[in-house]
Amino acid sequence: DTEVTQTPKHLVMGMTNKKSLKCEQHMGHRAMYWYKQKAKKPPELMFVYSYEKLSINESVPSRFSPECPNSSLLNLHLHALQPEDSALYLCASSQSWGTSGSYEQFFGPGTRLTVL
Amino acid sequence: GEDVEQSLFLSVREGDSSVINCTYTDSSSTYLYWYKQEPGAGLQLLTYIFSNMDMKQDQRLTVLLNKKDKHLSLRIADTQTGDSAIYFCAGVSSNTGKLIFGQGTTLQVKP
């Protein structure tokens, strides 16, 4: 099973709303990621969790707040977003995280977020 | 800095071979990947190659790596309309462990 699931598939929210994106994997992977992708562009890394600890925050605005409750789950809490935050948000996981080894990342289907 | 470059668009006829090219700057990247993204979907890992290999074949897919020229290519044999998608090559940064993506090549397959 190489599946990463994400909910919801689509989300429309106002700039004053609070919402959460959820990601789950059952491959026993110990690294999980959030990416943001604009149309026809490559994914941009936002956060990396390794063994449930935040390893990388790519200077993401605080209106995005990640959470890793356990090794299978990853959340992204959203608050006071701007219209320019509208994008496809992708979750990924890999066996581990580091500069060596084939830690191929498996991506979920994404959540299409629209901020009004 | 680390960079990965791809041509943006490729159009082929159904049944022809497609070759998507990629160049990268980080000569220490140990693994290089090809991902496929269909409209409205996430990224699907197609294949990867270890840096000490020259070629890897997997059914209709052939990956060629020229480490001297830092050039990677993906050949799709007998291209089908279902192969229409954006293809991203990516390398693992030897400094940070992050995936560095190319800009993506849109493959259009004409019937």
Side-chain angles (χ1 to χ4, degrees), chain B residues 86-98:
Chain B
I86 300 177
Y87 290 80
F88 293 99
C89 74
V92 177
S93 165
S94 57
N95 290 326
T96 64
K98 299 176 194 175

Side-chain angles (χ1 to χ4, degrees), chain A residues 85-100:
Chain A
D85 297 321
S86 298
L88 181 68
Y89 288 83
L90 293 164
C91 174
S93 71
S94 64
Q95 184 182 349
S96 189
W97 161 258
T99 57
S100 62

Side-chain angles (χ1 to χ4, degrees), chain A:
Chain A
D1 181 11
T2 57
E3 191 179 27
V4 177
T5 59
Q6 290 188 244
T7 55
K9 285 181 70 70
H10 301 276
L11 179 62
V12 179
M13 58 188 291
M15 290 190 283
T16 58
N17 292 157
K18 283 186 182 181
K19 295 286 184 184
S20 296
L21 309 184
K22 296 186 183 304
C23 174
E24 191 166 6
Q25 57 86 15
H26 294 289
M27 295 179 275
H29 288 174
R30 302 315 300 266
M32 296 186 76
Y33 312 78
W34 281 115
Y35 288 85
K36 173 183 178 181
Q37 187 182 28
K38 291 283 201 179
K40 307 245 186 250
K41 297 290 186 186
E44 300 170 22
L45 183 65
M46 300 174 71
F47 303 103
V48 179
Y49 273 83
S50 179
Y51 289 85
E52 298 145 58
K53 289 190 172 11
L54 184 63
S55 295
I56 290 186
N57 176 342
E58 291 286 89
S59 302
V60 178
S62 60
R63 56 186 185 268
F64 295 91
S65 175
E67 178 198 19
C68 189
N70 61 54
S71 59
S72 299
L73 292 174
L74 186 66
N75 299 322
L76 186 63
H77 303 299
L78 315 172
H79 174 54
L81 294 193
Q82 303 297 308
E84 59 265 28
D85 297 321
S86 298
L88 181 68
Y89 288 83
L90 293 164
C91 174
S93 71
S94 64
Q95 184 182 349
S96 189
W97 161 258
T99 57
S100 62
S102 173
Y103 301 136
E104 55 263 35
Q105 294 184 24
F106 295 91
F107 285 79
T111 293
R112 176 74 58 190
L113 174 68
T114 303
V115 182
L116 300 176

Side-chain angles (χ1 to χ4, degrees), chain B:
Chain B
E2 296 146 338
D3 196 19
V4 177
E5 292 190 0
Q6 300 177 240
S7 54
L8 294 182
F9 186 78
L10 176 65
S11 181
V12 301
R13 291 264 174 219
E14 193 173 16
D16 288 350
S17 291
S18 307
V19 179
I20 302 170
N21 294 302
C22 173
T23 57
Y24 60 96
T25 57
D26 185 353
S27 58
S28 299
S29 284
T30 50
Y31 287 89
L32 295 151
Y33 302 90
W34 284 102
Y35 284 90
K36 174 185 180 183
Q37 187 174 33
E38 297 182 33
L43 273 70
Q44 175 194 355
L45 178 64
L46 285 179
T47 187
Y48 66 90
I49 190 166
F50 185 50
S51 59
N52 71 352
M53 298 169 68
D54 298 324
M55 185 181 89
K56 181 178 180 181
Q57 189 155 2
D58 184 0
Q59 299 182 334
R60 292 190 298 123
L61 304 179
T62 303
V63 179
L64 294 178
L65 176 61
N66 182 328
K67 201 171 179 187
K68 175 174 165 288
D69 294 338
K70 298 179 192 171
H71 182 263
L72 182 72
S73 67
L74 174 69
R75 179 178 179 269
I76 305 173
D78 186 25
T79 312
Q80 303 296 307
T81 54
D83 295 322
S84 294
I86 300 177
Y87 290 80
F88 293 99
C89 74
V92 177
S93 165
S94 57
N95 290 326
T96 64
K98 299 176 194 175
L99 264 186
I100 309 298
F101 287 93
Q103 288 301 305
T105 300
T106 297
L107 175 63
Q108 178 189 68
V109 182
K110 296 180 182 176

